[in-house]
Amino acid sequence: MPDPLNQEAPLGSLGSPLTPTASFYRRSHFPVPRLDAAAWRLRVAGEVERPLELRRSDLEAMPRRTLAVTLECAGNGRNLMAPVPDGTPWGLGAVSTAEFTGVRLRDVLEAAGPAPAAAEALFEGADRGCVGAGREVAFARSLPLAAALDGDALLAWEMNGEPLAPEHGSPLRLVVPRWYGMASVKWLVEVRLLAEPFRGHFQAEHYVYVGEAGTPDGTPVTRARVRSLLAAPTDGAALPPGPVELRGAAWSGDAPVARVEVSTDGGATWTDAGLEPAPSPYAAAPWRLAWLPPGPGEYLLMARATDAAGNTQPLAPVSNELGYGNNCVQRVRVVVG
């Protein structure tokens, strides 16, 4: 098994409201830590009135919440950029949807009592590694305190009704709906409230936009940009003559998806697909379109989403130096007959 572990989900898995755990994409910056669940503790410290050290049983005694959430790596689609930036060469499969069960982050923070000086919440995982000559760091990310206190950020220990697997963050992970996946820190061991902004490697040196037209350098990567993906048929498929059902999923971190348009002629014309209810406000919405190819030949299929805030996928890749946030329209070539 590769280490660090980075694996895409099959695009066909997006055709279902929830991604099977075995197919859920995997993203690690360092080797997967193996933690003893019995000895594990979550520390809550820093700018708090009541520092906490919580066992799993302490968390389970709090009100439980289950949410379906779509998580997408910020680098999803990186290898569609030209030139391809350094970093994990993701195609389009670094995205999946699962039901996560745990407690609201807000409930834990309120139990600790944020001090008046608290401005950010820092989340540190047990995974560690080198990011330069002699420089070892843990994977750590912060959120503005207001975002951390959002009622639907979770500290989760279950995924799709089963205990978290080691590669998905066991024994506890953060799940931040609507944000790109780097915010959902895995193997969580500490939450620390800070009075000053965190400037760690994965906060200030990575997961920022650099060299992107219209975006100031250093802008943090936060919410997932609007995107639609075609789950079936897959790229390169050979289809028999006759009706074809095109299906996929669409999501946005800024607002609910309002529209998905599909082109079967390489973008010359577009047709509205039928949107189906999403399993939660934080999960991708399935869509479908019945298509009757006019005859044998090669066809270029495309799908683009627009959210309720008016954001629409661009046709061309959105390029930047670190390869984040590229939500350009997918292109799928199929042959009929």
Side-chain angles (χ1 to χ4, degrees):
M1 183 176 292
D3 208 355
L5 180 61
N6 295 299
Q7 295 178 343
E8 297 191 29
L11 288 184
S13 67
L14 292 174
S16 302
L18 298 178
T19 308
T21 301
S23 298
F24 200 97
Y25 88 97
R26 301 172 187 186
R27 175 66 171 117
S28 305
H29 294 82
F30 305 122
V32 173
R34 303 287 171 165
L35 302 178
D36 181 350
W40 172 88
R41 299 289 187 273
L42 175 68
R43 298 181 298 275
V44 184
E47 297 288 342
V48 297
E49 304 290 350
R50 297 172 292 278
L52 304 175
E53 186 169 278
L54 301 172
R55 297 165 296 182
R56 167 78 174 266
S57 58
D58 297 323
L59 294 169
E60 290 178 339
M62 302 176 74
R64 182 176 299 208
R65 186 160 171 76
T66 297
L67 279 179
V69 178
T70 295
L71 292 180
E72 181 182 18
C73 182
N76 198 27
R78 176 179 284 127
N79 72 358
L80 302 181
M81 296 179 177
V84 177
D86 291 339
T88 304
W90 294 117
L92 290 169
V95 58
S96 301
T97 302
E99 280 190 339
F100 293 96
T101 298
V103 300
R104 297 194 310 172
L105 172 62
R106 176 177 180 172
D107 291 345
V108 172
L109 293 181
E110 289 182 343
E120 287 193 354
L122 174 65
F123 305 89
E124 184 172 308
D127 50 329
R128 303 183 64 87
C130 289
V131 295
R135 184 182 175 200
E136 181 177 306
V137 299
F139 184 82
R141 289 274 311 175
S142 70
L143 291 171
L145 185 59
L149 291 173
D150 185 299
D152 285 327
L154 290 180
L155 298 176
W157 58 79
E158 285 185 5
M159 178 178 176
N160 288 336
E162 300 289 339
L164 280 174
E167 62 268 27
H168 293 303
S170 174
L172 190 76
R173 71 171 298 165
L174 178 63
V175 178
V176 184
R178 295 196 173 112
W179 285 52
Y180 279 117
M182 78 284 151
S184 295
V185 177
K186 296 187 286 186
W187 310 293
L188 196 61
V189 292
E190 185 173 57
V191 178
R192 191 160 67 250
L193 297 195
L194 307 176
E196 301 293 334
F198 177 59
R199 301 294 297 172
H201 176 76
F202 294 104
Q203 190 82 25
E205 299 172 40
H206 281 262
Y207 298 112
V208 292
Y209 292 110
V210 178
E212 180 175 291
T215 302
D217 284 355
T219 298
V221 174
T222 56
R223 294 192 172 210
R225 292 172 171 175
V226 63
R227 189 196 287 279
S228 174
L229 289 180
L230 192 70
T234 56
D235 192 45
L239 307 176
V244 178
E245 182 182 64
L246 310 180
R247 55 189 178 87
W251 63 95
S252 173
D254 287 321
V257 173
R259 184 183 191 189
V260 172
E261 303 165 273
V262 176
S263 174
T264 59
D265 54 15
T269 61
W270 296 85
T271 301
D272 283 348
L275 273 173
E276 299 178 5
S280 88
Y282 310 119
W287 59 262
R288 298 176 187 270
L289 179 69
W291 172 49
L292 181 62
E298 183 176 292
Y299 294 86
L300 177 57
L301 312 180
M302 303 162 67
R304 67 182 177 196
T306 300
D307 66 23
N311 302 303
T312 300
Q313 287 180 262
L315 295 178
V318 177
S319 293
N320 52 72
E321 291 183 15
L322 299 178
Y324 299 131
N326 178 24
N327 64 333
C328 71
V329 168
Q330 174 195 19
R331 286 162 167 75
V332 172
R333 295 187 183 275
V334 299
V335 176
V336 175

